[in-house]
Amino acid sequence: MSAMARGIIRSSGRIQSFEAHEQLTARDCLFLGKHSFNQGLYDYAINWFEAALIKAKEEGNRTVSPDEIQPFLNFAINTHDNVSLERGEAGVTWKNASVPFREKNEVFYERNFEPVFFVDNLDPVIEKEQFNRLCRGEQLRPVEWDKDLGCRYFNGHHPYLLLQPIKLEEKSHKPYIVQLYDVISDQEIQRLQNLSQFTLHRSSHYGISGEFEASLMRTSASSWLTEETDPVIVKLDRRVGMITGLATKYSMEEAEAYQVANYGIGGHYVPHQDHLQSAGMNSSMFQGFEYRAGDRIATWMFYLSDVEAGGGTAFTYAGAVVWPKKGSAAFWWNLKRNGEGDEMTRHGACPVLHGSKWVSNKWFRVNSQMFRKPCSLERDEYFTCL
Ligand SMILES: O=C(O)CCC(=O)C(=O)O
Ligand SMILES: [Fe+2]
């Protein structure tokens, strides 16, 4: 945290040292500590108070004195250790280091972390740790799993693409996750951004209250664009259809409209599945469009910007990460071939550390794809290619 306060984002993984132009003051760090404390993030609060103390001692133009910070640090350490002993490491409203702070041995954070992949119901604390590590760019999957992944030209599902094949990079075979390059032009991106700029609003998600809500689980702004909004959407639909072989029209209830989303610094989306069957949606919600269209068989996500640091899409159960590259798109199947949700597709949007991230998602609905992607009766059959 003290490096971060000096404007340096450092990581052992892919995100190498990155130096920002501005530095935080000791008062900024104190504020971030208080904010973390109020959110129940006691370990982060301690880190920020410690960073504030270091800064306060070095600052020429003092923004706060060390004496003002010390009581906050002491109080945070006591609270952390009491909550740890009484209530454990993490719950809905709090998060601690895995051991009392005074005995902190950093085991969870620095050494001997054993990632766990492809299990049902991964412990949420482990999943969060894996998510953070993947987002920092650590290679968590054993490298042998990646040895059969390749890059190739892909002709999609239409003769048009014989003349202009698509660059495809495999990120995982099972679940099948790929990144496709140069699938949207800079002009089309500009158009999507212009079209959405006046309607962007704070994103929501289906929450534990049973309502759609805005929360810290998803901090971005989003907007929806349909074929009726602009001819560029019709063009993109046609292209995405040729590449994937899937039906893409919102007006025919084949797929959802394009959701354009923008994440600012710190903007993220915690791990979740895109399919609806385990997102807490009950049968009464499957009315109208949801009922007729069926679940989200697959996700297509355009990356509409590069991101200077952070902002990957991390698959916590599969250990794969797709990094934003302007003009590319990620694609993965959310359902198995019998229509059941594939839990191994859990993923989240990593926090943006520097820059601004723009994406546009399209979710294909299963019912209209029945003749294009016939289902199977086998429980364990997966879609294994595009
Ligand atoms: O922005 C990303 O990288 C992922 C977004 C996502 O998972 C979603 O909107 O469902
Ligand atoms: Fe998602």
Side-chain angles (χ1 to χ4, degrees):
M1 294 276 184
S2 54
M4 207 186 270
R6 292 204 304 278
I8 300 169
I9 296 166
R10 197 184 279 152
S11 147
S12 52
R14 174 185 186 272
I15 298 164
Q16 303 294 320
S17 256
F18 179 90
E19 198 155 348
H21 306 299
E22 297 295 330
Q23 297 206 4
L24 299 178
T25 64
R27 185 161 287 288
D28 295 332
C29 297
L30 179 63
F31 172 81
L32 286 164
K34 289 179 186 173
H35 183 69
S36 306
F37 188 92
N38 292 338
Q39 296 287 322
L41 304 169
Y42 302 122
D43 53 347
Y44 291 160
I46 293 168
N47 290 337
W48 279 119
F49 291 141
E50 282 177 341
L53 258 187
I54 294 169
K55 273 253 135 178
K57 288 177 190 157
E58 316 170 334
E59 262 174 358
N61 269 350
R62 216 167 229 192
T63 55
V64 57
S65 81
D67 294 346
E68 198 181 318
I69 300 164
Q70 193 66 51
F72 285 105
L73 177 59
N74 297 347
F75 189 68
I77 291 177
N78 281 339
T79 309
H80 176 279
D81 286 5
N82 291 343
V83 172
S84 246
L85 290 174
E86 284 162 21
R87 292 193 275 161
E89 188 175 322
V92 179
T93 54
W94 80 96
K95 182 184 157 294
N96 290 318
S98 52
V99 284
F101 206 81
R102 299 240 174 257
E103 298 163 27
K104 189 170 163 202
N105 60 11
E106 312 241 311
V107 82
F108 201 74
Y109 288 97
E110 299 308 332
R111 289 192 278 118
N112 300 336
F113 176 74
E114 284 293 337
V116 185
F117 296 121
F118 299 112
V119 293
D120 293 328
N121 301 318
L122 183 59
D123 177 338
V125 175
I126 309 253
E127 183 181 29
K128 177 92 195 300
E129 182 63 18
Q130 290 189 178
F131 180 60
N132 293 345
R133 285 173 183 262
L134 290 168
C135 288
R136 292 200 288 262
E138 289 183 31
Q139 166 78 34
L140 291 190
R141 283 161 66 100
V143 279
E144 325 61 281
W145 292 4
D146 290 348
K147 74 180 187 336
D148 296 327
L149 300 176
C151 293
R152 62 196 156 85
Y153 282 108
F154 172 61
N155 289 122
H157 294 261
H158 196 277
Y160 182 82
L161 294 172
L162 288 171
L163 299 174
Q164 196 181 346
I166 303 292
K167 286 174 248 157
L168 177 150
E169 180 181 353
E170 295 163 341
K171 296 284 175 177
S172 158
H173 285 309
K174 198 176 151 197
Y176 187 77
I177 306 165
V178 289
Q179 187 165 16
L180 305 133
Y181 294 91
D182 297 324
V183 285
I184 181 166
S185 69
D186 287 356
Q187 291 88 319
E188 289 163 339
I189 289 175
Q190 190 60 52
R191 186 82 194 133
L192 292 187
Q193 286 171 331
N194 292 347
L195 288 169
S196 57
Q197 69 176 332
F198 296 113
T199 47
L200 279 177
H201 58 274
R202 180 64 201 273
S203 310
S204 59
H205 60 93
Y206 188 67
I208 33 181
S209 63
E211 301 288 329
F212 280 88
E213 55 186 46
S215 82
L216 286 178
M217 291 168 74
R218 184 180 185 198
T219 51
S220 58
S222 49
S223 166
W224 296 87
L225 303 175
T226 69
E227 299 106 282
E228 278 149 33
T229 328
D230 194 81
V232 74
I233 303 292
V234 179
K235 212 166 134 196
L236 292 176
D237 264 356
R238 210 178 302 134
R239 187 176 313 146
V240 171
M242 288 194 286
I243 298 172
T244 58
L246 295 171
T248 55
K249 287 202 194 70
Y250 170 68
S251 57
M252 302 294 283
E253 302 192 345
E254 295 168 343
E256 291 174 48
Y258 287 88
Q259 186 192 47
V260 177
N262 175 229
Y263 303 77
I265 287 186
H268 65 277
Y269 192 175
V270 300
H272 59 276
Q273 305 92 344
D274 284 355
H275 56 77
L276 307 172
Q277 48 199 262
S278 60
M281 285 186 74
N282 55 41
S283 50
S284 67
M285 296 200 65
F286 274 84
Q287 289 168 355
F289 178 92
E290 308 293 353
Y291 182 74
R292 292 189 300 268
D295 207 339
R296 290 169 163 172
I297 183 173
T299 301
W300 173 281
M301 189 168 69
F302 283 120
Y303 292 100
L304 306 180
S305 68
D306 292 313
V307 181
E308 285 157 281
T313 307
F315 291 77
T316 44
Y317 278 45
V321 187
V322 184
W323 293 100
K325 170 90 179 82
K326 189 175 181 187
S328 74
F331 175 91
W332 65 92
W333 299 101
N334 294 305
L335 305 183
K336 299 189 217 171
R337 292 204 49 181
N338 69 350
E340 259 179 41
D342 180 1
E343 301 306 302
M344 301 307 139
T345 60
R346 270 178 78 86
H347 61 278
C350 297
V352 171
L353 302 177
H354 205 264
S356 169
K357 174 179 170 187
W358 286 86
V359 293
S360 179
N361 304 73
K362 174 124 190 135
W363 287 287
F364 307 91
R365 294 306 189 106
V366 66
N367 290 354
S368 300
Q369 321 295 342
M370 67 171 79
F371 299 115
R372 298 162 191 259
K373 298 285 167 190
C375 62
S376 95
L377 296 177
E378 296 301 322
R379 254 205 119 132
D380 284 320
E381 247 187 84
Y382 291 77
F383 292 106
T384 51
C385 60
L386 230 176

